[in-house]
Amino acid sequence: MRTETTYLTDLAAVLWPCGGLLGPGDGSVLPMAPRNRGNQYLPVPNAQNPRVILPAGNRSVATRGITSFAQGHSLKERLRTLLLAGAFATGVAPLLLRDRLYVGAGPGIEHALTAALDRELAIAIHVGPPRANRKPVLLLLTPGGRTIGYAKVAINELTGRLVRAETRALRHLAERPMRDVTVPRLLYDGEWNGQPLLVQEALPVGDQTDRPTRRQLLRCVTQIVSLAPIRERRLSVSPYRRSLDERIAKLGSRPEVAPLRAALHRLPDVPLPFGAWHGDLTRWNIAGTARRAFVWDWERLAMDAPAGFDALHYNLNECVQAGVHPGVHRWLDSGSRLLRDPLMAEIGLRPHTVSTVMALYLIDLATRYLHDRQAESGGHLAAVDDWLLPALEGLQERAAHEATHAG
């Protein structure tokens, strides 16, 4: 896997075709002529473990970037965000953070976005942890620090597919508003440096929003399912199973292919409701109030999947926060309870099909991870043979028992 410092310089080559170089804050080893120097950015916390990249010369934008990209769901995370925001607001942060990303003078991503939106702006960049689908998310701000929107730029073939898919999804969602769910508007789509680029509005999330309660989550999930006409089909004749079978076949000779295909074909042939799913509904992509949910990152929106996948995906990611193996064990119970909720029954999900849906979700997730080569990037859920295949084996037995004793 490439080092993180290499990732930063490769990322700089996409965002700023004039290039970027890493160096210390005093500039003493910077091999770039002064007349070619452009902006300075701060990799936070450092170049070896970058999570955000902030402008060194604009306190307002840097402070806003820290607070906007924070995932402050725990006390520790909120305290860290508070300390970093204070350091940037007071001007102390550039003295404490040694690493710099120097970008050459000349047209860069800021110039392209300024022209596209016809307004002056500055950027802060979210990088996130190493993953196969990692791409920069740019927070677009006025020079005074007011949020304009978010931009996504592809950096390779996989992220290019995802940016194009999200562009299509946002156009579709604009024509299918949901009663209690707000999604971002697409503000611009085009290309930058040969890669797909999209800009979307910022949703009004902040101190007044939080993670959804169980009922809020399921209300959101059922409305997403209804983005496509909900159709009940037997699993064996569903287009979804045929499509999933084809996706598994495209994995070729990987050792996981045989157990995944066998698991798919051993599931009971029960009737299931099929509809839309967000595809990556997690605590990082949803916030809400008592009356409304705000949902973003629609790059994996699909229009034909078993109802309940989004609830299972959200719940699995919550369960594994403190560890994969104990988390998956909890999910096998809590995911089942979610799918048996009366709200799920309203869209046609029956109790005797719950374990079948859970097994299908794991097969789908494993297929996605293998196609995207997530395990090569060190994702904690991506080692499918470590936890997913054993969990799937138990779910097959549960699914067969439920179907046999339905009534």
Side-chain angles (χ1 to χ4, degrees), residues 15-314:
L15 299 182
W16 301 281
C18 43
L21 293 167
L22 289 168
D26 60 11
S28 59
V29 298
L30 180 66
M32 185 183 285
R35 62 186 174 84
N36 292 328
R37 296 180 190 176
N39 293 328
Q40 294 184 28
Y41 287 87
L42 301 169
V44 180
N46 53 54
Q48 288 71 44
N49 185 33
R51 291 297 178 264
V52 293
I53 304 172
L54 304 170
N58 190 319
R59 293 185 189 181
S60 298
V61 171
T63 303
R64 184 64 176 163
I66 283 290
T67 56
S68 295
F69 289 132
Q71 307 293 344
H73 295 296
S74 71
L75 179 60
K76 181 179 178 181
E77 290 171 330
R78 295 186 185 193
L79 287 174
R80 183 170 55 202
T81 298
L82 186 63
L83 290 172
L84 278 171
F88 277 101
T90 58
V92 174
L95 303 176
L96 301 176
L97 300 171
R98 177 173 175 76
D99 294 333
R100 296 290 188 278
L101 176 63
Y102 298 88
V103 301
I109 186 67
E110 303 96 330
H111 302 85
L113 291 168
T114 294
L117 299 182
D118 194 24
R119 62 189 307 174
E120 187 179 1
L121 55 81
I123 63 171
I125 306 168
H126 181 257
V127 177
R131 294 185 299 171
N133 60 340
R134 177 169 64 167
K135 59 188 168 299
V137 177
L138 283 61
L139 173 63
L140 312 184
L141 301 153
T142 67
R146 187 169 60 83
T147 301
I148 299 171
Y150 289 88
K152 294 185 179 182
V153 186
I155 59 172
N156 54 31
E157 182 182 354
L158 171 59
T159 56
R161 291 200 306 269
L162 293 174
V163 171
R164 292 188 188 96
E166 184 160 16
T167 301
R168 292 192 298 269
L170 292 177
R171 288 202 181 101
H172 178 82
L173 292 165
E175 299 173 357
R176 297 291 304 271
M178 290 172 276
R179 186 178 69 251
D180 304 309
V181 181
T182 298
V183 305
R185 288 185 304 116
L186 180 66
L187 300 180
Y188 173 81
D189 78 279
E191 285 194 353
W192 169 249
N193 202 7
Q195 296 285 358
L197 165 69
L198 74 82
V199 181
Q200 57 190 273
E201 72 173 343
L203 294 178
V205 300
D207 293 340
Q208 302 304 310
T209 59
D210 205 342
R211 279 181 285 172
T213 64
R214 174 195 176 97
R215 182 166 184 81
Q216 290 165 350
L217 171 68
L218 291 178
R219 186 176 64 189
C220 176
V221 166
T222 58
Q223 291 186 32
I224 292 173
V225 169
S226 300
L227 285 169
I230 299 175
R231 295 185 173 93
E232 183 177 88
R233 294 187 175 97
R234 284 199 167 272
L235 178 59
S236 63
V237 297
S238 65
Y240 170 79
R241 198 188 86 156
R242 184 169 60 250
S243 173
L244 181 55
D245 216 354
E246 291 170 355
R247 288 165 54 205
I248 295 171
K250 289 178 181 177
L251 292 170
S253 59
R254 294 192 62 115
E256 301 92 347
V257 168
L260 288 175
R261 176 173 287 160
L264 177 61
H265 287 270
R266 280 202 297 264
L267 289 175
D269 188 22
V270 291
L272 300 174
F274 292 86
W277 80 303
H278 176 280
D280 193 24
L281 196 66
T282 67
R283 65 163 68 180
W284 301 280
N285 299 333
I286 181 173
T289 65
R291 302 181 64 180
R292 191 146 205 90
F294 301 94
V295 182
W296 56 98
D297 283 359
W298 290 88
E299 60 196 25
R300 294 190 183 274
L301 175 66
M303 291 297 165
D304 184 30
F309 270 20
D310 275 327
L312 293 173
H313 192 73
Y314 184 94

Side-chain angles (χ1 to χ4, degrees), residues 1 132 254 369-370 372-379 381-385:
M1 187 172 63
R254 294 192 62 115
Y369 283 159
L370 293 170
D372 292 353
R373 300 183 180 275
Q374 292 281 17
E376 297 174 15
S377 301
L381 280 177
V384 300
D385 56 343

